[in-house]
Amino acid sequence: MKKFRKVLDGLTTSSPGATVSSPSCGSAAGTPTAAPTPKEIDVQETLVSENFQLCKTVRHGFPYQPTALAFDPVQKILAIGSRSGGVRILGRPGVDCYCQHESGAAVLQLQFLINEGALVSACADDTLHLWNLRQRRPAILHSLKFNRERITFCHLPFQSKWLYVGTERGNTHIVNIESFILSGYVIMWNKAIELSTKTHPGPVVHLSDSPKDEGKLLIGFESGTIVQWDLRGKKADFRIYYDEAIHSVSWHHEGKQFMCSHSDGSLTLWNLRNTTKPFQVTFPHGKIQKDGRKESCKPILKVEYKTCRNSEPFVIFSGGLSYDKAGRRPALTIMHGKAITVLEMDYPIVEFMVLCETPYNNEVQEPYAVVVLLEKDLIVVDLTQSNYPVFENPYPMDIHESPVTCTAYFADCPPDIIPILYSIGAKHKKTGYSQKEWPISGGTWTLGSHTYPEIIITGHADGSIKFWDASAITLQMLYKMKTSKVFEKPKPGEGRAAELVEEDPFAIQMVSWCPQSRIFCVVGISAHIILYRFSKYDANTQIVSLEVRLQCDSEDVISPSENENNPSFSETGSHSPQPHHHHQHQHPASPGSRTPEGIKDSIPCLKVKDRAVRVPPGYQSELVIQLLWVDGEPPQQITSLDINSAYGLLAFGNCNGLAVVDYLQKTVILCMSTLDLYGSTDPYQRLTRSPRRNRQSTSGLTELTDNQQSIDMERSKSPTSGNLLTHSHTDTHQQPPILHSLNANVFDCRENSFTRSRSSSVSSIDRDTKEAVTTLQFGESYGRKNDVLPTPCLWVGTSLGVVLLIPMSIPTDQEERMEEPVTMGVSGALLMLKGSVLRFSFLDCMGALIQTPYEVWRDHNAPEDPDRPRRRKLVHFSPSSSQDACGDGHLAVVCSERQAKVFLMPSQSCLFVHNITESSFVLRADVVSVCNSVCLACFCANGHVMTLSLPSLRPLMDVNYLPLTDMRIARTFYFTNGGQALYLSSPTEIQRITYSQEMCDNLQEMLGELFTPIETPEAQNRGFLKGFFGGNAHTFDREELFGEAAAGKASRSLAQHIPGQGGVEGMKVAASGAVGELARARIALDERGQRLGELEERTALMMTSAEAFSKHAHELMLKCKDKKWYQF
């Protein structure tokens, strides 16, 4: 616990802020002023660095660029590998684990050790890894790196500890799973094929043991050669040479026949009695043409041949469609008897796997489902019903249904909001799913004790919004809405929206949500804002449209017309006529909006529906605000937004200026350029410039892989670019500096490859000398230094580091509020920081967070009760309500791209200042509650996540967490209360992290268990005769064949064994609780055993060396035995 005492004498020189050469601590004109009375701030800060630790918690969504699939039929868990080296392991809802290979190499294949709690992964860097799944966070126990050969296929027989590994050279190696060491037993390609064969058979594409005899290994080569290898006799039983390339092989459970899929779209069935030719050849999708030839078909990439007790066998395959049908979607074909069903997929099939009742390959398989891994989806088909319905997926695999363009994260929401959203959203769920239970039901998960209501909101490129229940580290969709329904569909001839944004005119840029009042606001890329209210009743609504002309340059003079007036404001504030306020049916006609030259003017990008529409329960649009084209120039994107339900006001800004809308009266009460907001207090000498004519680029927001934007070189040409304006009263004619972080000297640092785009969520705006409004915040504050009581204020932050306070006068009576105008005085206080302003927050003088006022939610569509008229119920948090220590007043926390400052209001004295970064810039900053206190959390472009104490701005944590590589992370990073944050780790996945030590400590309890002790099902009784005549499968001893005693050691240069450090560390984490001591003892034994093993290896080497020496000595003795002394 640390106590901060600071006596303010009212002079700027006494505060830490005065050491920074900026007019941040003086009055608007820069003159130091004395506070009315000296005050003592006594804040006991409870947060210390030990309260903070950064770690990943859980990853949601579909694995990006999947490559491999595996299923444990006993544990009933599924594993998916990806191109970036990630492995997702899924079980019942809540059991969802993400692992990452450090190398980042693509996962080629996954193999479960069935019912053993382990997984083998084969990666593109020719390394095998063994994962321990018996801990909540899986870790690698062993790795084996192949040096001279490339891995192409792996096969692990059930209940075997020997893994078969096929390579690109056509060889088959055998790995001991327990020690992860290569056996000396190798099946060389030239031994497998006949010596007379002149060509190489190609890479190994298939390995499987015969269901009839485990001592027989079927090897499939890419060229079409198939060999059954007798492991005991070390010879080939038979060889098949087929003239079509093989993609996969599948056995009949009796082991007497197998099926192959080929590159010409054919399936061949082979009988072991006669392997000279296939028993059957079929082209399932190849029809006979008029000339008698078969249609050419695409390759069948995989086939599975599964038998049933009471019906015909299933033959399920992917691919094989005819080439002539252009534009046909990828398909999975299910052949059951004579019935052929083609299931068309939305995306290409990566892999599929048939789920069967038994893990034994020599029993009737009884398939019950097919897991199909697509490029962008995971579906499971129910095989037990003739129409093959799909199961309803309990995981959130459709986050990326439309690309995510923005996120918001709300922890500790009102407890009633999640059930209400779920009940509304459940009415719109799809139907037609299988009635059976989701078959991937492995693992265990219980609701932890450290849970509270959490909601994640995602905005998408198609204008849709999704609300997700994120409580207890799970993710479940609650409610979806489409903002595009507010607008008319653009006609093909018009294309007004297409001229601004070619692909996604409705893409969401930012969202603002008040969970208490349930008011929701979205900002779209076409410079539009939609305000929604929540209702449990459906309604007929007429959407009100407001159009705002916010296109002012510093030298622009907009002449008043009949539609709009040039707003002018006195110091006390005046009511401005609202531009273009009308219901949509009063729209000016589009042709009339064009000048004779055809230049667009005073028209919005999108057309709002001008008719009454029936809206279902849920979020219902009430107001649409659109910025207008001006003189053929499209409106600039909105860069900041705030809404306050208690005031009934909505404020937004862009690189041209600020507008404030009274959404209760549906009027615009302020619309002016940023320069006009200063009045006489402008700290800069402005240079005139020509109006901007270039088009706004919007491609960066919706692309999955964001292109880096080049730096505006004009900015670096300014001689004073990047220098902070000094606190000077003499030189008033110097050129205005550019205080934005996009200057040349910052980006000469080559370590930071990240460059800024025009996305508003990272507070980067037009790279010219315009001053953008980058953040806004309503709240009770002191608009002027001599104010005695707090009043409603709007805090405005700009891209030049300027903070403006605009006091407002809002009628308090409900009737007056709906009729009397809200007035705003624009010449309020002015403060300064380095870099673009990102965040405001307010603390009382005891250091507690002051919540912004809000209106308690009431349903506007509920039936009227004459006895209880509906009135607005407002909740205010006045800064003067809880302070006895310093009387009236509060602390204002302001964070910019470079620094954070804490001001005392109303004196505007700077109490604390902290320069967050010099070489980079802050992308996201939030004041959040952690451990019953508050701190400032920041995410920088160089990947650092840091927390600062409040109000003293002491650094508490600084972790180099995430090297920023693209705009996606910057656009979607979001801090919330409880020490949590999230970002989009890939175009399809949300990564949640925590920076709270308490949550890191409790994470083990919150995660699901992947492994559950289950008895392996017993093999069926085969009967005496069947066992006697059916081969000697059960007498096959692999240890006898592959062990070191029989096969010797493999060449050391062939593969390198790498012990997994993470395995022991993971076991140490797991070794807590009731069995902690036992687990620790086991770890110690393992480590001791490992050391003993190494000693044994060294001893064996010495013995081998001694034997060799003895042998050579004996040979020499025999050689010299009969020689005479003169013969030497």
Side-chain angles (χ1 to χ4, degrees):
M1 187 177 290
K2 194 166 182 182
K3 185 179 279 192
F4 291 91
R5 290 183 176 275
K6 187 153 193 69
V7 178
L8 307 174
D9 59 1
L11 296 175
T12 56
T13 53
S14 67
S15 75
T19 60
V20 180
S21 56
S22 74
S24 56
C25 307
S27 66
T31 310
T33 57
T37 54
K39 291 190 173 78
E40 188 180 82
I41 301 292
D42 185 359
V43 176
Q44 293 188 350
E45 294 189 357
T46 57
L47 289 177
V48 291
S49 58
E50 286 72 27
N51 294 126
F52 295 92
Q53 182 188 343
L54 196 71
C55 72
K56 294 179 180 179
T57 53
V58 67
R59 185 174 287 215
H60 304 296
F62 181 76
Y64 184 54
Q65 294 180 328
T67 53
L69 184 69
F71 182 71
D72 186 324
V74 180
Q75 288 289 321
K76 296 195 183 300
I77 55 174
L78 186 83
I80 301 171
S82 70
R83 193 177 298 173
S84 59
V87 178
R88 275 287 280 289
I89 305 170
L90 303 166
R92 66 177 65 246
V95 178
D96 187 340
C97 178
Y98 174 77
C99 322
Q100 175 69 42
H101 292 93
E102 282 186 16
S103 65
V107 178
L108 297 179
Q109 202 176 346
L110 295 169
Q111 287 265 312
F112 276 105
L113 276 67
I114 294 172
N115 205 26
E116 294 290 334
L119 175 74
V120 174
S121 58
C123 294
D125 61 352
D126 305 307
T127 308
L128 297 171
H129 304 275
L130 179 66
W131 293 85
N132 176 19
L133 308 185
R134 295 193 179 217
Q135 54 196 57
R136 291 179 191 241
R137 291 235 177 210
I140 292 176
L141 291 171
H142 299 282
S143 298
L144 188 67
K145 166 80 172 165
F146 280 73
N147 296 322
R148 296 190 308 211
E149 298 202 53
R150 309 219 65 181
I151 299 169
T152 55
F153 196 87
C154 298
H155 171 63
L156 180 67
F158 180 43
Q159 294 179 322
S160 166
K161 69 172 187 178
W162 298 95
L163 173 75
Y164 301 116
V165 181
T167 68
E168 195 174 45
R169 290 187 182 177
N171 302 325
T172 302
H173 300 276
I174 299 165
V175 178
N176 185 317
I177 286 296
E178 291 175 355
S179 62
F180 236 59
I181 294 172
L182 269 180
S183 164
Y185 193 115
V186 185
I187 306 169
M188 303 299 286
W189 68 271
N190 53 352
K191 299 282 180 64
I193 64 170
E194 283 180 324
L195 295 174
S196 59
T197 309
K198 294 179 181 178
T199 56
H200 190 279
V204 174
V205 295
H206 176 81
L207 292 167
S208 62
D209 50 330
S210 166
K212 191 167 68 170
D213 185 353
E214 293 174 341
K216 310 285 187 182
L217 182 69
L218 195 71
I219 307 170
F221 297 94
E222 189 180 63
S223 63
T225 301
I226 299 169
V227 175
Q228 181 167 290
W229 185 261
D230 183 349
L231 292 165
R232 295 185 203 83
K234 299 184 181 179
K235 60 182 177 60
D237 284 344
F238 62 81
R239 298 178 176 93
I240 295 171
Y241 298 98
Y242 196 66
D243 54 2
E244 287 295 337
I246 290 174
H247 286 283
S248 73
V249 182
S250 184
W251 280 98
H252 186 281
H253 81 273
E254 290 178 350
K256 296 175 182 176
Q257 54 187 26
F258 58 86
M259 185 175 285
C260 300
S261 70
H262 299 279
S263 56
D264 63 346
S266 67
L267 295 172
T268 56
L269 190 62
W270 299 82
N271 197 311
L272 265 60
R273 289 177 185 170
N274 180 13
T275 55
T276 54
K277 63 176 183 178
F279 170 69
Q280 185 182 348
V281 180
T282 53
F283 287 81
H285 295 298
K287 295 176 183 172
I288 297 173
Q289 296 173 326
K290 291 178 182 177
D291 56 3
R293 289 187 302 170
K294 289 266 186 187
E295 282 182 312
S296 58
C297 294
K298 296 175 184 176
I300 295 179
L301 299 176
K302 184 176 180 180
V303 64
E304 292 222 30
Y305 185 23
K306 300 297 179 186
T307 51
C308 304
R309 265 189 201 87
N310 303 317
S311 66
E312 295 284 323
F314 278 93
V315 175
I316 301 170
F317 61 89
S318 60
L321 297 176
S322 58
Y323 276 107
D324 65 338
K325 292 177 182 172
R328 205 165 161 185
R329 295 196 292 180
L332 183 81
T333 306
I334 302 173
M335 296 169 65
H336 190 211
K338 292 184 178 179
I340 299 179
T341 306
V342 179
L343 304 178
E344 289 196 334
M345 304 294 168
D346 293 330
Y347 307 103
I349 297 170
V350 175
E351 172 74 288
F352 75 89
M353 187 161 282
V354 179
L355 309 188
C356 300
E357 296 287 355
T358 176
Y360 296 94
N361 66 345
N362 58 0
E363 294 179 359
V364 179
Q365 297 296 285
E366 291 293 343
Y368 59 90
V370 187
V371 180
V372 189
L373 179 64
L374 308 175
E375 272 188 7
K376 293 184 181 179
D377 202 1
L378 176 75
I379 63 168
V380 183
V381 180
D382 185 355
L383 290 179
T384 61
Q385 297 179 49
S386 57
N387 59 338
Y388 305 127
V390 297
F391 290 89
E392 186 175 5
N393 198 326
Y395 318 123
M397 292 288 181
D398 57 347
I399 292 172
H400 62 285
E401 189 177 15
S402 171
V404 177
T405 52
C406 76
T407 60
Y409 191 8
F410 299 87
D412 220 0
C413 299
D416 60 335
I417 192 76
I418 288 177
I420 288 172
L421 285 172
Y422 182 77
S423 64
I424 299 289
K427 296 173 184 174
H428 305 288
K429 279 198 169 182
K430 295 177 182 175
T431 56
Y433 292 112
S434 171
Q435 299 302 308
K436 296 202 169 185
E437 288 287 319
W438 178 251
I440 304 160
S441 55
T444 52
W445 180 75
T446 52
L447 200 64
S449 55
H450 302 270
T451 60
Y452 40 82
E454 298 174 68
I455 284 180
I456 292 172
I457 300 174
T458 54
H460 300 264
D462 63 353
S464 60
I465 302 280
K466 292 179 181 177
F467 287 76
W468 306 84
D469 177 7
S471 310
I473 71 165
T474 61
L475 197 71
Q476 182 180 12
M477 189 150 76
L478 293 171
Y479 176 71
K480 180 181 176 181
M481 55 190 279
K482 293 182 179 178
T483 61
S484 58
K485 289 186 174 179
V486 171
F487 302 101
E488 300 280 5
K489 289 182 181 177
K491 294 175 184 175
E494 281 185 15
R496 293 198 308 178
E499 292 182 34
L500 178 64
V501 275
E502 286 73 13
E503 293 177 2
D504 300 300
F506 309 114
I508 307 298
Q509 269 188 296
M510 65 181 91
V511 297
S512 178
W513 186 47
C514 175
Q516 287 81 11
S517 63
R518 301 184 192 171
I519 282 184
F520 185 61
C521 209
V522 301
V523 174
I525 205 167
S526 299
H528 64 274
I529 299 171
I530 312 172
L531 178 80
Y532 290 89
R533 284 186 187 270
F534 187 82
S535 175
K536 292 191 279 187
Y537 304 91
D538 56 0
N540 283 316
T541 59
Q542 176 81 39
I543 303 165
V544 178
S545 172
L546 281 177
E547 294 177 355
V548 178
R549 188 181 174 98
L550 191 60
Q551 198 86 1
C552 315
D553 279 327
S554 60
E555 79 279 13
D556 284 350
V557 178
I558 302 173
S559 57
S561 65
E562 59 182 6
N563 288 331
E564 59 185 359
N565 295 309
N566 187 30
S568 59
F569 295 88
S570 63
E571 186 168 325
T572 57
S574 62
H575 182 54
S576 165
Q578 64 275 13
H580 285 282
H581 166 228
H582 44 63
H583 289 274
Q584 192 67 19
H585 61 270
Q586 297 172 336
H587 255 292
S590 185
S593 304
R594 296 174 182 264
T595 59
E597 294 83 12
I599 297 173
K600 290 186 179 183
D601 189 55
S602 301
I603 58 170
C605 297
L606 303 168
K607 190 174 187 300
V608 180
K609 288 180 179 175
D610 57 0
R611 60 188 183 279
V613 287
R614 187 79 175 166
V615 286
Y619 273 104
Q620 300 168 349
S621 54
E622 181 173 289
L623 176 66
V624 178
I625 304 162
Q626 293 190 90
L627 297 185
L628 300 172
W629 284 66
V630 177
D631 297 331
E633 185 177 344
Q636 298 300 301
Q637 289 175 15
I638 293 161
T639 55
S640 54
L641 170 79
D642 192 39
I643 187 166
N644 188 283
S645 56
Y647 302 158
L649 298 178
L650 182 152
F652 63 95
N654 65 4
C655 61
N656 290 320
L658 170 70
V660 181
V661 171
D662 181 342
Y663 68 79
L664 297 176
Q665 295 186 25
K666 310 290 191 295
T667 57
V668 180
I669 58 174
L670 180 79
C671 176
M672 60 194 330
S673 70
T674 321
L675 179 61
D676 293 334
L677 291 172
Y678 291 112
S680 60
T681 63
D682 188 0
Y684 300 118
Q685 180 75 29
R686 308 275 170 166
L687 295 180
T688 59
R689 58 189 182 276
S690 60
R692 182 174 173 274
R693 290 298 175 203
N694 57 313
R695 288 258 315 268
Q696 176 83 1
S697 167
T698 57
S699 61
L701 184 67
T702 55
E703 285 181 357
L704 284 181
T705 53
D706 304 292
N707 296 321
Q708 294 186 343
Q709 307 270 353
S710 60
I711 304 161
D712 190 348
M713 294 310 294
E714 289 183 14
R715 185 138 302 185
S716 59
K717 292 175 188 173
S718 170
T720 58
S721 176
N723 301 326
L724 194 66
L725 182 65
T726 53
H727 195 76
S728 170
H729 302 284
T730 55
D731 183 12
T732 56
H733 300 288
Q734 64 182 11
Q735 185 177 354
I738 315 290
L739 291 183
H740 211 257
S741 63
L742 270 163
N743 47 52
N745 51 7
V746 170
F747 280 88
D748 283 341
C749 301
R750 289 286 173 254
E751 80 235 16
N752 182 13
S753 62
F754 174 70
T755 55
R756 309 283 296 276
S757 88
R758 293 190 170 94
S759 169
S760 61
S761 57
V762 291
S763 75
S764 60
I765 30 70
D766 283 325
R767 300 187 198 120
D768 51 22
T769 50
K770 287 182 180 179
E771 184 175 10
V773 176
T774 52
T775 187
L776 295 162
Q777 180 74 55
F778 287 107
E780 300 284 309
S781 189
Y782 302 86
R784 296 174 182 84
K785 286 190 176 183
N786 54 3
D787 283 357
V788 180
L789 293 173
T791 57
C793 289
L794 174 62
W795 287 65
V796 181
T798 76
S799 56
L800 297 189
V802 179
V803 177
L804 294 156
L805 270 76
I806 304 178
M808 302 178 292
S809 173
I810 301 174
T812 52
D813 181 74
Q814 181 163 335
E815 282 75 22
E816 287 181 7
R817 177 65 187 86
M818 298 306 294
E819 296 170 3
E820 295 295 318
V822 174
T823 56
M824 306 184 73
V826 294
S827 56
L830 184 143
L831 311 167
M832 293 284 294
L833 284 90
K834 288 182 190 174
S836 182
V837 182
L838 297 180
R839 186 71 59 219
F840 298 120
S841 192
F842 311 118
L843 310 177
D844 63 25
C845 288
M846 301 302 291
L849 191 66
I850 301 171
Q851 301 288 343
T852 52
Y854 64 86
E855 176 190 359
V856 178
W857 174 72
R858 58 200 172 100
D859 201 327
H860 284 254
N861 296 335
E864 289 281 356
D865 186 350
D867 299 328
R868 297 177 62 188
R870 284 185 301 192
R871 298 185 65 82
R872 296 181 74 216
K873 184 181 176 184
L874 307 182
V875 178
H876 284 268
F877 302 91
S878 175
S880 60
S881 61
S882 61
Q883 287 104 16
D884 299 322
C886 64
D888 294 342
H890 72 90
L891 303 175
V893 182
V894 187
C895 185
S896 75
E897 289 179 323
R898 296 299 174 79
Q899 64 179 186
K901 288 187 178 182
V902 176
F903 296 94
L904 177 66
M905 304 301 291
S907 70
Q908 299 171 23
S909 305
C910 180
L911 303 186
F912 301 99
V913 64
H914 178 73
N915 291 318
I916 298 169
T917 177
E918 293 295 334
S919 60
S920 185
F921 51 90
V922 178
L923 289 165
R924 179 83 200 183
D926 290 289
V927 173
V928 291
S929 60
V930 182
C931 301
N932 301 315
S933 188
V934 289
C935 70
L936 175 65
C938 303
F939 173 54
C940 291
N942 59 9
H944 283 250
V945 177
M946 55 189 76
T947 56
L948 305 171
S949 70
L950 290 175
S952 69
L953 300 175
R954 258 183 321 119
L956 295 170
M957 180 188 77
D958 186 353
V959 178
N960 187 4
Y961 168 67
L962 184 75
L964 193 64
T965 52
D966 54 39
M967 278 300 302
R968 184 196 323 107
I969 298 167
R971 194 172 55 237
T972 57
F973 204 100
Y974 204 101
F975 291 103
T976 189
N977 296 330
Q980 296 201 77
L982 64 77
Y983 60 93
L984 217 66
S985 57
S986 76
T988 61
E989 294 165 288
I990 289 174
Q991 178 69 58
R992 285 162 72 177
I993 62 173
T994 182
Y995 47 94
S996 158
Q997 178 68 56
E998 183 186 7
M999 188 163 182
C1000 286
D1001 293 341
N1002 296 322
L1003 190 58
Q1004 286 293 113
E1005 178 198 330
M1006 299 166 76
L1007 295 171
E1009 288 271 10
L1010 291 171
F1011 180 75
T1012 313
I1014 301 171
E1015 281 213 20
T1016 303
E1018 286 188 13
Q1020 292 174 2
N1021 187 4
R1022 305 182 76 223
F1024 172 73
L1025 290 173
K1026 200 166 186 181
F1028 188 77
F1029 292 110
N1032 51 351
H1034 293 282
T1035 61
F1036 178 59
D1037 185 359
R1038 292 188 179 90
E1039 183 70 38
E1040 193 180 301
L1041 273 178
F1042 307 145
E1044 194 177 319
K1049 286 189 174 181
S1051 168
R1052 287 195 170 190
S1053 61
L1054 186 60
Q1056 177 190 357
H1057 176 256
I1058 306 162
Q1061 294 298 320
V1064 175
E1065 289 302 314
M1067 287 168 73
K1068 285 176 181 172
V1069 171
S1072 57
V1075 293
E1077 290 304 321
L1078 181 64
R1080 275 190 282 273
R1082 186 178 171 189
I1083 292 166
L1085 281 171
D1086 285 350
E1087 290 172 347
R1088 185 177 171 217
Q1090 193 174 338
R1091 286 195 293 271
L1092 283 170
E1094 290 168 1
L1095 183 64
E1096 191 181 342
E1097 279 184 17
R1098 285 199 295 272
T1099 308
L1101 281 170
M1102 288 171 68
M1103 284 178 66
T1104 308
S1105 177
E1107 282 176 11
F1109 181 76
S1110 170
K1111 187 180 175 184
H1112 285 305
H1114 185 69
E1115 284 174 356
L1116 189 63
M1117 184 269 290
L1118 291 174
K1119 188 177 178 183
C1120 303
K1121 185 179 176 183
D1122 298 324
K1123 286 188 179 181
K1124 303 293 182 185
W1125 63 270
Y1126 53 81
Q1127 290 177 313
F1128 285 99

